[in-house]
Amino acid sequence: MNNQSDLRLRIINHKLVQARWVPSPNYNQRPMNQSPSLLVIHNISLPPREYGGPYIEQFFSNQLDTHAHPYFQEIEGLEVSAHLLIRRDGELIQFVAFDQRAWHAGVSQFEGCENCNDFSIGIELEGTDNDEYTDQQYEQLKAVTHCLMMEYTHILPDRIVGHQDIAPLRKTDPGPAFDWLRYKGEL
């Protein structure tokens, strides 16, 4: 995506207009008077280290065939989601409206506040901790971040973290392959 089209990202009714909408049942209401004030960057690949295919969408929609790959039996029954997925080619897929509470952070804490799902937006990058992310993903992530910061003014650069920052004993994503300087350098 070029910079000119990046400027056109828009949010209407808490949905990114340019994202393909694939609704997840794995969400609930945020606590009363709680709006997004934290952005959490994650990674996911299903099966691990394999890209493309329908499996992430199926997983977030509780429609994953657990017999399609041996790894899927390990995650059977998990109910998780994210607000947004950025595929390797830059495609945007939204699963949960930004004003709703997606189930992406799990047991977590930021600046003394627990349950980060209550006040955060979760973005998944299709990838792993150790595989380089693509130029398209960085460009889309920067464009989406700018759009979110304009819409939800409590999301500031110092309130953009990785999953490993809010759940350090459990999570490692987006991992050492994620270039924070490249991403945050333009925010």
Side-chain angles (χ1 to χ4, degrees), residues 70-137:
Y71 175 75
F72 296 166
Q73 293 174 6
E74 294 180 36
I75 59 174
E76 184 174 9
L78 291 179
E79 295 180 335
V80 297
S81 63
H83 291 92
L84 196 65
L85 168 68
I86 303 177
R87 292 255 188 207
R88 306 290 288 174
D89 64 1
E91 180 188 10
L92 299 167
I93 304 170
Q94 188 165 357
F95 299 95
V96 176
F98 297 126
D99 65 331
Q100 301 295 315
R101 184 181 182 274
W103 302 345
H104 62 94
V107 176
S108 53
Q109 179 178 301
F110 180 76
E111 293 184 346
C113 296
E114 296 187 6
N115 301 317
C116 293
N117 285 338
D118 290 348
F119 55 92
S120 67
I121 290 174
I123 297 179
E124 295 275 0
L125 299 174
E126 186 178 30
T128 68
D129 288 6
N130 298 307
D131 287 347
E132 294 288 323
Y133 295 93
T134 68
D135 291 340
Q136 295 94 327
Q137 287 178 299

Side-chain angles (χ1 to χ4, degrees), residues 5 23 30 54 62 68 74 77 82 86 90 93 102 114 134 141 151 157 167 184:
S5 56
R30 293 187 188 275
N62 297 344
E74 294 180 36
I86 303 177
I93 304 170
E114 296 187 6
T134 68
L141 181 58
E151 184 76 15
K184 282 192 164 184

Side-chain angles (χ1 to χ4, degrees), residues 8-186:
R8 290 185 264 168
L9 289 182
R10 292 183 306 139
I11 296 170
I12 297 177
N13 294 325
H14 305 285
K15 293 180 184 173
L16 190 63
V17 173
Q18 291 77 7
R20 184 163 51 90
W21 175 247
V22 178
S24 173
N26 303 327
Y27 76 96
N28 55 5
Q29 300 292 315
R30 293 187 188 275
M32 194 166 7
N33 299 323
Q34 189 74 262
S35 61
S37 63
L38 182 70
L39 182 59
V40 181
I41 310 300
H42 302 264
N43 71 36
I44 188 169
S45 61
L46 289 177
R49 298 203 70 195
E50 292 184 25
Y51 305 125
Y55 300 121
I56 296 170
E57 291 176 47
Q58 292 172 359
F59 181 52
F60 287 166
S61 302
N62 297 344
Q63 297 178 4
L64 183 64
D65 177 1
T66 57
H67 301 292
H69 188 276
Y71 175 75
F72 296 166
Q73 293 174 6
E74 294 180 36
I75 59 174
E76 184 174 9
L78 291 179
E79 295 180 335
V80 297
S81 63
H83 291 92
L84 196 65
L85 168 68
I86 303 177
R87 292 255 188 207
R88 306 290 288 174
D89 64 1
E91 180 188 10
L92 299 167
I93 304 170
Q94 188 165 357
F95 299 95
V96 176
F98 297 126
D99 65 331
Q100 301 295 315
R101 184 181 182 274
W103 302 345
H104 62 94
V107 176
S108 53
Q109 179 178 301
F110 180 76
E111 293 184 346
C113 296
E114 296 187 6
N115 301 317
C116 293
N117 285 338
D118 290 348
F119 55 92
S120 67
I121 290 174
I123 297 179
E124 295 275 0
L125 299 174
E126 186 178 30
T128 68
D129 288 6
N130 298 307
D131 287 347
E132 294 288 323
Y133 295 93
T134 68
D135 291 340
Q136 295 94 327
Q137 287 178 299
Y138 283 109
E139 291 307 309
Q140 283 288 44
L141 181 58
K142 286 188 261 187
V144 167
T145 301
H146 283 130
C147 187
L148 290 170
M149 291 172 72
M150 294 296 293
E151 184 76 15
Y152 305 103
T153 57
H154 291 102
I155 297 176
L156 302 170
D158 64 342
R159 295 186 64 84
I160 300 171
V161 298
H163 199 185
Q164 81 271 355
D165 298 316
I166 61 170
L169 300 178
R170 293 185 315 108
K171 297 296 180 177
T172 58
D173 57 317
F178 186 73
D179 188 342
W180 284 101
L181 289 175
R182 176 178 180 178
Y183 166 52
K184 282 192 164 184
E186 296 179 23

